[in-house]
Amino acid sequence: MIFNTVYYQPMDRRYDGLTTPQGVEPIPMPHEGIDQSEVSPESLGVGVKDIGMSVPLGIAAGNVEGVAAKLRSGIVNIEIGFPTRGRGNRQAQTPELYSKEQRQALKEIKQAMDVNFTTHAAYNVWGMTGYDVTNGRSFSRVGMTESLNEVRRAIDFASDVAGGGSVVVHTGEFERPLTQIFTDGFIMNPDGSLNRNYSRDEQGRLMFRRSHTEANDFAFQLIDERSGELFTAVQGNKLVAQPKWLKAKKDYKYFDDSKKEWVNVKTGDYINYQNEKVEDPFNIEFFIDKTGKKTPKFGRVPEYDEKTGRFVMEFKHHDDFEREAQEYNNSFKERMGHDPTSDQRMTGREIFLINRQITQASYSRGWSLQYSLQLKDVLEQIKQVEYTKKYYEEVERKTSPDEAWKILEKNEGLMNDPRLRRAFAKAGIPEGAEQAANLMPPKMESKAAKFDRVLHDLKQQVEQITEMAQGQDATALEQMESAKHFKTPEKYVFDHGVRGYAYAGIHAMKKTKDPNNPIFISMENLFPERYGGHPQEFKHLIMKSRDKMAEMLTKPKMQWEESDKQWFREEGKDIPALREGFNPYYIQGLSKEEAKKIAEKHIKATLDTGHLNMWRKYYVPDPRKSDEQNEQGFKDWYLHEVEDLAKAGVIGNVHLVDNFGYEDEHLSPGQGNTPVKEVVQILKKYGYNKALTIEPGAAATTDQSDFHGLMSTWRYFGSQVYGMGGPTRVGAPPRNWVDVQNSYFGQTQSPYFIAGTYAPSQDWSLWSGVSME
């Protein structure tokens, strides 16, 4: 309030177009003669014409007439939102519920009322990587296509109705620990230095954590790129038993006969049991032997302790795997002559899982070898039993029973052959010297049948051992094959997710009708717990998506996956040509710089001030500072990140939302603790002139209506919305905002009477018979 003036409320202004009468003191503007330490709303130049409101179809408006009703209340800008994906319903509508006629009606309303529309794709699309919102544990290529289709039909709706502007799509590709925030997922840089962890400030102090132990027990995830399944790879506080790999303990050299050259070995180099240097210690590929068998080829070998007769094992921490990953990256550079690409670079969690797969594969191969030895022994038993059976059959056929008995007694040693004894023992026939008597009792009946029983048992053992050995070999191969397909979720997103955003950007480019009002997808920062929630991740994801779109516009040939081909089928592209790497989006003659500008025009960001403020609940106060200083510390971080996004030129849409930093309750700006005015001031500083939209969720629930949330925002920004009529005499003070807000036809009291269509039905009357007016 400013005292001694006729200005009582933030929205009190001259409203009637009259100049100040002579002799009457002019009404001072609020920035005149007051403390400028507070952001002056008027200096922001934000008013009714600038601030719009989101209208979720099926919730805030049910049809075309509902949208028109919102506009008649005084809204100039509306973000039309679609609450759900797939097939819509009355309470949660989708773009395809609006026919050509309805779209044309909305377009004509927009033109007639001179208002602006923007669009929000399905609220339950979380990123373009196909994240399964239901189970939260996997990505789906089908889900990726479905998410892309949701954005496509929102773009089509924007083209038909809005004629341009933003099409908002949520990010939030996957969950990651709040204490380990790396934009590309790498803890270490290629040169071995530590990458910037944006969960900490520049002095290394931890700023955010989800629990008080998360800095130690954080859990990293990996994804199987074949199935899209997510699973926990390694935890920060968990020690994992791994083989201690054999390394040289001193410098030496040896002569390699195969290469006819001397090989230098340095301390710490990986070596094999022949003390030869392992050229590719991290090799997990397969080789084909002479029989055509596919066998894992291991580079490193575990260290063997001759004293204990065991292989040496050791416990490793997450940091150990990060150092091992750096060894891999250095080894790659040494072998290939260049640094690994982002997709080729290894992280500690990938190394951990590869080591675990190697260990499990070794276990399976060990059992397979054991079964192979057993098989060799059984095959020898079969050979001996068949020989002995043949001998007895000859004796029985050529001699008399008495003579056969004598011959068998003389050859009792034949039955004491170890292989034969093992075979008969497994068949339940006694061993030793009694075996001959058991085979040939006094009645001299034929005992060849007992040999058949032994042979049958041995052949069953062969089948059993063969099946078990094959199963163990198959398990080993599958484990090693899986090790080649484990990726960090960041790599998966940068490979698949950015393709989805790039496809959407290209579709927006094609659907743009007015070059001065292009359609663009506007990627929205989601919640702190998910990738893209941190502003630096958010910016990185946008830049990667723009790069991918520019690449698709300028590269004549590209490698396509089946999910890409599904997208092409829907667009009617020539699939056979794609097998040759043909790029249907290639624009001949388009330079990389031009493509980059096109991508920047059609892929932008939606900054949601409320989502960003939710980092507050995870903020770690500095114990050396007061509550006020810590509050200022969070606010400084918040505004610094906003300014960084503004400098990068990525912001194309803004959701002005407030909360108290805990949940996304959609308070009206100024009703929580989000520094909304300061955000707008920063945006204006860098020339932002696009949509500012409030999402009045709480106002629609606990206030009188969603429109009251918008009016509250207008008041918060000191918008020049005035009364409903002017003073009737010179010198009379103008009405104040409170004369208008929450009023009845410009009056702060209820009307004394109503007439016409507003009057109640005359079917009911008072007992006195007095008519209702």
Side-chain angles (χ1 to χ4, degrees):
M1 176 181 291
I2 300 178
F3 295 97
N4 300 321
T5 71
V6 291
Y7 166 70
Y8 298 102
Q9 300 291 333
M11 299 190 68
D12 294 347
R13 298 293 184 275
R14 291 305 299 270
Y15 56 87
D16 52 6
L18 299 177
T19 58
T20 303
Q22 187 175 2
V24 177
E25 291 293 326
I27 302 173
M29 296 300 288
H31 63 275
E32 296 174 355
I34 64 173
D35 186 0
Q36 288 298 302
S37 61
E38 294 293 328
V39 177
S40 172
E42 284 70 26
S43 66
L44 301 178
V46 175
V48 174
K49 62 179 174 49
D50 304 298
I51 302 174
M53 184 177 76
S54 67
V55 177
L57 295 181
I59 300 175
N63 47 37
V64 173
E65 290 73 16
V67 175
K70 295 293 181 184
L71 292 169
R72 284 194 292 270
S73 64
I75 304 174
V76 180
N77 301 294
I78 281 183
E79 180 182 270
I80 298 176
F82 299 101
T84 193
R85 62 193 296 168
R87 186 173 182 178
N89 55 69
R90 184 184 296 273
Q91 287 75 33
Q93 298 177 5
T94 62
E96 287 184 280
L97 280 176
Y98 285 78
S99 65
K100 291 181 179 179
E101 289 182 355
Q102 291 167 320
R103 295 185 185 202
Q104 181 64 27
L106 286 170
K107 181 179 178 181
E108 291 175 0
I109 289 172
K110 172 184 176 295
Q111 294 172 340
M113 302 183 73
D114 192 21
V115 295
N116 298 310
F117 289 150
T118 55
T119 313
H120 196 312
Y123 297 161
N124 51 357
V125 169
W126 284 12
M128 299 297 289
T129 318
Y131 176 74
D132 191 331
V133 180
T134 304
N135 65 32
R137 298 295 304 168
S138 65
F139 292 108
S140 164
R141 301 291 174 84
V142 173
M144 188 186 308
T145 302
E146 290 176 350
S147 297
L148 183 58
N149 285 336
E150 288 297 332
V151 179
R152 286 177 62 199
R153 63 177 180 167
I155 291 172
D156 293 344
F157 181 89
S159 179
D160 293 339
V161 174
S166 62
V167 177
V168 181
V169 55
H170 289 155
T171 57
E173 313 294 329
F174 60 90
E175 285 196 6
R176 46 90 183 94
L178 261 64
T179 57
Q180 307 288 323
I181 298 176
F182 303 92
T183 56
D184 53 8
F186 293 103
I187 293 178
M188 301 185 75
N189 293 313
D191 61 3
S193 62
L194 289 175
N195 200 356
R196 171 69 192 277
N197 182 358
Y198 286 100
S199 183
R200 298 179 179 272
D201 62 19
E202 294 182 353
Q203 288 71 45
R205 188 185 75 83
L206 184 66
M207 292 190 294
F208 302 102
R209 65 185 179 195
R210 204 168 178 179
S211 70
H212 69 284
T213 61
E214 191 182 27
N216 296 318
D217 63 10
F218 60 86
F220 275 130
Q221 291 183 312
L222 282 182
I223 185 171
D224 187 332
E225 65 175 344
R226 299 166 300 178
S227 64
E229 181 183 3
L230 275 168
F231 48 88
T232 299
V234 62
Q235 290 181 231
N237 64 342
K238 188 175 182 180
L239 296 177
V240 182
Q242 292 281 313
K244 183 178 181 181
W245 305 111
L246 185 60
K247 292 183 178 182
K249 295 179 173 56
K250 62 180 181 179
D251 295 349
Y252 62 90
K253 64 179 181 179
Y254 66 92
F255 189 77
D256 189 332
D257 292 328
S258 62
K259 295 184 177 180
K260 306 299 181 183
E261 63 182 18
W262 288 92
V263 178
N264 292 312
V265 179
K266 298 179 181 179
T267 302
D269 284 347
Y270 291 102
I271 57 175
N272 59 24
Y273 296 127
Q274 291 73 43
N275 294 320
E276 299 170 335
K277 184 177 179 179
V278 178
E279 295 182 0
D280 188 2
F282 297 93
N283 191 328
I284 59 169
E285 296 296 327
F286 299 99
F287 70 90
I288 309 297
D289 62 18
K290 294 180 180 179
T291 65
K293 185 178 180 182
K294 198 175 184 183
T295 308
K297 180 180 180 181
F298 302 102
R300 301 175 293 181
V301 296
E303 185 177 324
Y304 180 74
D305 189 337
E306 295 182 354
K307 293 181 180 179
T308 63
R310 295 178 178 275
F311 291 103
V312 180
M313 303 294 290
E314 60 182 356
F315 283 105
K316 290 188 177 181
H317 184 265
H318 170 263
D319 294 344
D320 298 317
F321 294 118
E322 283 297 330
R323 285 187 285 270
E324 198 169 315
Q326 191 58 30
E327 286 184 19
Y328 170 88
N329 296 329
N330 292 336
S331 173
F332 182 98
K333 184 177 181 179
E334 183 179 342
R335 289 184 295 105
M336 306 303 294
H338 61 82
D339 286 323
T341 64
S342 295
D343 197 53
Q344 293 168 334
R345 278 175 65 191
M346 200 68 70
T347 63
R349 42 187 153 156
E350 290 169 310
I351 285 289
F352 158 75
L353 208 56
I354 288 173
N355 285 350
R356 190 178 73 176
Q357 293 296 107
I358 290 175
T359 300
Q360 293 176 347
S362 299
Y363 179 81
S364 298
R365 291 180 68 245
W367 274 109
S368 177
L369 290 172
Q370 177 67 27
Y371 293 139
S372 298
L373 293 174
Q374 293 179 18
L375 179 63
K376 182 180 179 181
D377 182 65
V378 172
L379 292 174
E380 289 178 350
Q381 292 177 39
I382 290 174
K383 184 178 180 181
Q384 185 62 27
V385 171
E386 287 177 339
Y387 172 79
T388 307
K389 176 187 176 183
K390 184 177 181 181
Y391 173 79
Y392 275 103
E393 287 175 342
E394 288 292 326
V395 171
E396 285 184 322
R397 188 174 67 252
K398 295 181 179 180
T399 63
S400 64
D402 292 339
E403 189 66 25
W405 173 254
K406 293 178 182 178
I407 294 173
L408 291 176
E409 281 186 327
K410 290 179 181 179
N411 287 278
E412 182 181 342
L414 184 65
M415 293 302 299
N416 287 326
D417 184 284
R419 294 166 296 182
L420 203 62
R421 293 180 66 185
R422 288 196 298 273
F424 274 78
K426 289 181 180 180
I429 299 176
E431 299 181 1
E434 297 180 357
Q435 285 182 332
N438 282 315
L439 285 172
M440 297 295 294
K443 292 184 179 180
M444 290 301 294
E445 61 185 71
S446 174
K447 305 304 176 187
K450 291 191 176 183
F451 284 102
D452 291 337
R453 179 156 56 92
V454 172
L455 286 172
H456 179 267
D457 181 73
L458 289 175
K459 289 178 180 178
Q460 282 188 326
Q461 291 181 45
V462 169
E463 184 177 357
Q464 179 187 28
I465 293 171
T466 301
E467 292 290 339
M468 295 176 72
Q470 288 178 343
Q472 293 294 341
D473 280 337
T475 299
L477 290 173
E478 288 173 2
Q479 287 164 339
M480 295 309 299
E481 179 66 19
S482 295
K484 297 162 58 179
H485 296 280
F486 292 137
K487 283 187 173 183
T488 64
E490 290 88 349
K491 287 182 180 179
Y492 191 82
V493 168
F494 297 149
D495 188 20
H496 299 287
V498 297
R499 285 175 181 256
Y501 291 116
Y503 288 142
I506 291 174
H507 194 65
M509 175 187 73
K510 291 181 175 181
K511 288 293 182 176
T512 294
K513 299 175 181 178
D514 181 0
N516 296 319
N517 186 24
I519 299 175
F520 58 91
I521 64 162
S522 194
M523 301 160 61
E524 181 178 354
N525 59 307
L526 208 56
F527 307 127
E529 301 85 1
R530 309 192 65 80
Y531 184 87
H534 192 284
Q536 295 301 322
E537 296 171 331
F538 186 45
K539 181 175 70 173
H540 191 71
L541 185 59
I542 293 168
M543 296 301 188
K544 283 280 189 179
S545 301
R546 287 177 170 180
D547 290 343
K548 177 59 70 173
M549 179 176 171
E551 179 187 10
M552 291 171 67
L553 295 176
T554 56
K555 244 182 154 179
K557 290 188 176 183
M558 294 186 71
Q559 294 295 321
W560 305 109
E561 296 189 359
E562 193 58 38
S563 58
D564 297 309
K565 293 175 183 178
Q566 177 63 32
W567 163 254
F568 297 140
R569 288 187 187 98
E570 294 176 5
E571 288 210 330
K573 303 296 181 182
D574 182 19
I575 301 303
L578 297 175
R579 297 193 186 102
E580 306 300 323
F582 170 73
N583 179 9
Y585 300 114
Y586 171 64
I587 301 177
Q588 189 171 7
L590 185 69
S591 69
K592 291 183 178 179
E593 286 301 316
E594 289 172 327
K596 183 179 178 181
K597 290 180 180 179
I598 292 173
E600 290 174 356
K601 184 185 295 186
H602 294 286
I603 299 179
K604 297 180 184 292
T606 287
L607 172 63
D608 189 297
T609 58
H611 292 167
L612 188 55
N613 195 52
M614 289 172 65
W615 283 86
R616 183 185 296 271
K617 64 183 174 183
Y618 298 124
Y619 186 70
V620 181
D622 189 336
R624 300 166 297 178
K625 296 180 179 179
S626 65
D627 290 346
E628 292 75 14
Q629 289 173 321
N630 279 307
E631 170 65 24
Q632 187 61 44
F634 174 79
K635 186 176 179 180
D636 290 343
W637 170 84
Y638 184 111
L639 296 176
H640 174 269
E641 294 296 339
V642 170
E643 185 158 14
D644 184 70
L645 291 173
K647 282 182 181 178
V650 298
I651 301 176
N653 188 46
V654 177
H655 286 169
L656 294 179
V657 185
D658 209 342
N659 54 49
F660 288 103
Y662 295 100
E663 296 298 335
D664 188 31
E665 300 289 9
H666 286 198
L667 295 176
S668 299
Q671 301 303 309
N673 54 23
T674 306
V676 177
K677 285 181 181 176
E678 291 89 334
V679 169
V680 175
Q681 186 182 41
I682 290 171
L683 296 176
K684 292 297 181 180
K685 173 183 174 183
Y686 289 93
Y688 181 80
N689 60 357
K690 299 186 182 299
L692 297 169
T693 304
I694 71 161
E695 297 178 297
T701 304
T702 60
D703 204 340
Q704 298 178 55
S705 70
D706 52 2
F707 183 64
H708 284 79
L710 180 58
M711 289 193 296
S712 174
T713 305
W714 290 343
R715 184 179 69 242
Y716 175 66
F717 280 98
S719 178
Q720 295 183 10
V721 177
Y722 311 132
M724 296 184 61
T728 57
R729 62 183 177 83
V730 175
R735 291 178 180 176
N736 302 318
W737 171 250
V738 293
D739 293 332
V740 180
Q741 186 182 21
N742 300 326
S743 68
Y744 300 90
F745 301 97
Q747 302 299 320
T748 56
Q749 67 276 358
S750 299
Y752 296 115
F753 62 90
I754 51 178
T757 57
Y758 289 98
S761 170
Q762 296 300 317
D763 294 338
W764 181 89
S765 62
L766 295 173
W767 64 270
S768 62
V770 177
S771 62
M772 297 291 294
E773 293 183 347

